[in-house]
Amino acid sequence: MRVVIAEDSVLLREGLTRLLTDLGHDVVAGVGDAEALLKTVADLAAQDTLPDVVVADVRMPPTHTDEGVRAAVRLRRDYPQIGVLVLSQYVEEQYATELLAGSTRGVGYLLKDRVAEVREFVDAVVRVAQGGTALDPEVVAQLLGRSRKQDVLAGLTPREREVLGLMAEGRTNSAVAKQLVVSDGAVEKHVSNIFQKLGLSPSDGDHRRVLAVLTYLRS
């Protein structure tokens, strides 16, 4: 992968760079603020050498509030082909919701504690770079709350639950088909049934996939 890292903590930025580089990935830039991130990606775009994924802190200089996530949202708008994975010290519900709005291709939101779990973190970066989704379970729990007890998945068949579980891991329909040793068409039918049973209408567009996954993780 070609990776750009945006993190104001030099120690963490260098650590992430070393981790990804040691695993054979190409960290093409490391920056410490959102303005530098946007400029770096624009420069790479001008050279036709866009990264596969950007890993960015939610809070960065100068105010350490929402600069990072706003830069991430802008990158998703201007360069939809780039995966964007944001890291946060705490769950920021507003920022997570904003990041997940619209297309859900190639997006991730992880707590920084997840970085310590090296394999899981690198898998998440790769998944987002490939167009998948990586959501921290704590983020999901905060977004959905814990008050509702009804099992909204009760209407799904065992196979549909299995498909939804693999979707929650960020797998594409083709990857799900390969895992279950079935045709792509069969998976598409299962996914369509899942959307229908969960009350997700076609008007929700690509967002339906993440809504279905969030429902699964909450249950």
Side-chain angles (χ1 to χ4, degrees), residues 13 17 19 25 48 53 59 70 75 78 82 86 92 101 107 114 124 138 175 181 193 195 204 210 215 219:
R13 185 169 72 240
T17 298
L19 169 64
H25 302 297
D48 198 24
V53 61
R59 298 172 179 263
R70 293 205 177 281
L75 289 177
D78 295 345
I82 300 177
V86 299
E92 307 275 7
V107 63
R114 200 68 57 188
E138 289 299 321
V181 195
N193 289 339
F195 290 159
D204 291 317
V210 164
T215 301
S219 299

Side-chain angles (χ1 to χ4, degrees), residues 118-182:
V118 174
R119 187 182 188 89
E120 185 173 344
F121 169 71
V122 175
D123 285 349
V125 177
V126 172
R127 189 183 313 143
V128 171
Q130 295 175 342
T133 304
L135 299 178
D136 195 291
E138 289 299 321
V139 174
V140 173
Q142 285 280 16
L143 287 176
L144 296 174
R146 304 176 184 274
S147 60
R148 188 177 167 198
K149 300 299 182 181
Q150 180 183 1
D151 182 8
V152 296
L153 305 183
L156 301 185
T157 66
R159 177 61 94 181
E160 288 166 353
R161 282 175 175 258
E162 192 173 11
V163 169
L164 185 52
L166 292 171
M167 288 167 58
E169 295 177 9
R171 305 199 189 199
T172 63
N173 284 2
S174 295
V176 172
K178 184 176 180 181
Q179 176 70 23
L180 299 180
V181 195
V182 297

Side-chain angles (χ1 to χ4, degrees), residues 13-138:
R13 185 169 72 240
E14 293 301 319
L16 294 176
T17 298
R18 178 65 180 272
L19 169 64
L20 293 169
T21 300
D22 286 351
L23 291 172
H25 302 297
D26 184 12
V27 178
V28 297
V31 299
D33 61 73
E35 184 177 348
L37 170 60
L38 294 174
K39 183 179 185 304
T40 295
V41 174
D43 289 345
L44 292 171
Q47 300 166 23
D48 198 24
T49 57
L50 280 174
D52 299 301
V53 61
V54 168
V55 179
D57 190 2
V58 165
R59 298 172 179 263
M60 287 196 289
T63 68
H64 293 279
T65 54
D66 62 354
E67 284 89 349
V69 74
R70 293 205 177 281
V73 170
R74 180 171 169 182
L75 289 177
R76 281 175 52 72
R77 181 194 67 203
D78 295 345
Y79 308 98
Q81 66 271 47
I82 300 177
V84 175
L85 173 64
V86 299
L87 303 177
S88 179
Q89 191 69 43
Y90 309 101
V91 177
E92 307 275 7
E93 294 184 32
Q94 177 183 347
Y95 301 156
T97 301
E98 186 174 1
L99 186 71
L100 293 170
S103 172
T104 56
R105 181 185 183 280
V107 63
Y109 191 118
L110 297 180
L111 296 183
K112 286 188 175 180
D113 288 347
R114 200 68 57 188
V115 177
E117 301 172 24
V118 174
R119 187 182 188 89
E120 185 173 344
F121 169 71
V122 175
D123 285 349
V125 177
V126 172
R127 189 183 313 143
V128 171
Q130 295 175 342
T133 304
L135 299 178
D136 195 291
E138 289 299 321

Side-chain angles (χ1 to χ4, degrees), residues 188-209:
E188 291 174 4
K189 183 175 181 180
H190 287 312
V191 172
S192 178
N193 289 339
I194 290 168
F195 290 159
Q196 182 178 5
K197 291 180 179 180
L198 295 183
L200 303 175
S201 68
S203 62
D204 291 317
D206 291 340
H207 200 46
R208 287 192 299 173
R209 197 173 185 91

